[in-house]
Amino acid sequence: KQWYQRRVRGPSIRHFPAVLSNANRMLQSAKLLDIPLVVTEQYPKGLGATCSELDIEHCSIRCPKTKFSMVVPDVKSYLEAKDDRKTIVLFGIEAHVCVQQTALDLVSLGYDVHVIVDATSSRTDTDRVFAFQRMRQAGVFLTTSESMILSLAGASDHPQFRQLQKIIMTEAEDTKLLSFPTL
């Protein structure tokens, strides 16, 4: 997960309330499924901590950074220690900077990267859409929160399926991606 910080929010980020809501769906699902959560925060001294609306208390690692990519030494070491995991689910702010650079770095390290498009945004729709296009061209999988949640469950007989179903029964907030037919 990339950063959703206090000073980078609201009117400056396109569709922020919807993106935040969809990020929470992913966080709740990760917690239910016991999926490790890696949180980075871009220059928290200046931009503030992760928004209090996001429950990240269960994160495995929380790392401040000044590099745009979240593939900083602490995160890289953490990922290398989990060498049995080669799939990364990524979402955050901003799509064309931190999320894109992280996705490209992770692909170059051999990971399968899935970006949750309805939980990722930028200050402009242009930057957001072109970031998604560039990531797709680089081999990143673009998907939605509901699609990923159900993919992680695998089947309706998953022990946590009923709890996940409660999360997805509330329709994902619309982040206006359907108005961009090039995606």
Side-chain angles (χ1 to χ4, degrees), residues 29-38 58 60 78 85 89 152:
S29 299
K31 189 174 185 177
L32 271 174
L33 296 170
D34 198 30
I35 295 172
L37 174 64
V38 175
H58 63 286
S60 303
Y78 177 83
R85 295 183 190 251
V89 176
L152 292 169

Side-chain angles (χ1 to χ4, degrees), residues 67-83:
K67 180 181 176 183
F68 292 130
S69 172
M70 72 183 285
V71 184
V72 295
D74 287 347
V75 172
K76 191 171 182 182
S77 296
Y78 177 83
L79 294 174
E80 288 169 351
K82 305 277 186 194
D83 62 351

Side-chain angles (χ1 to χ4, degrees), residues 38-105:
V38 175
V39 176
T40 60
E41 296 171 326
Q42 182 72 25
Y43 186 61
K45 279 185 180 179
L47 298 174
T50 300
C51 297
S52 60
E53 297 94 331
L54 294 176
D55 177 12
I56 58 168
E57 292 304 313
H58 63 286
C59 70
S60 303
I61 179 175
R62 186 174 181 175
C63 185
K65 65 184 183 71
T66 54
K67 180 181 176 183
F68 292 130
S69 172
M70 72 183 285
V71 184
V72 295
D74 287 347
V75 172
K76 191 171 182 182
S77 296
Y78 177 83
L79 294 174
E80 288 169 351
K82 305 277 186 194
D83 62 351
D84 61 324
R85 295 183 190 251
K86 286 297 181 189
T87 300
I88 305 287
V89 176
L90 185 63
F91 53 97
I93 305 295
E94 285 190 68
H96 67 292
V97 185
C98 295
V99 176
Q100 177 178 273
Q101 288 190 25
T102 300
L104 298 175
D105 284 352

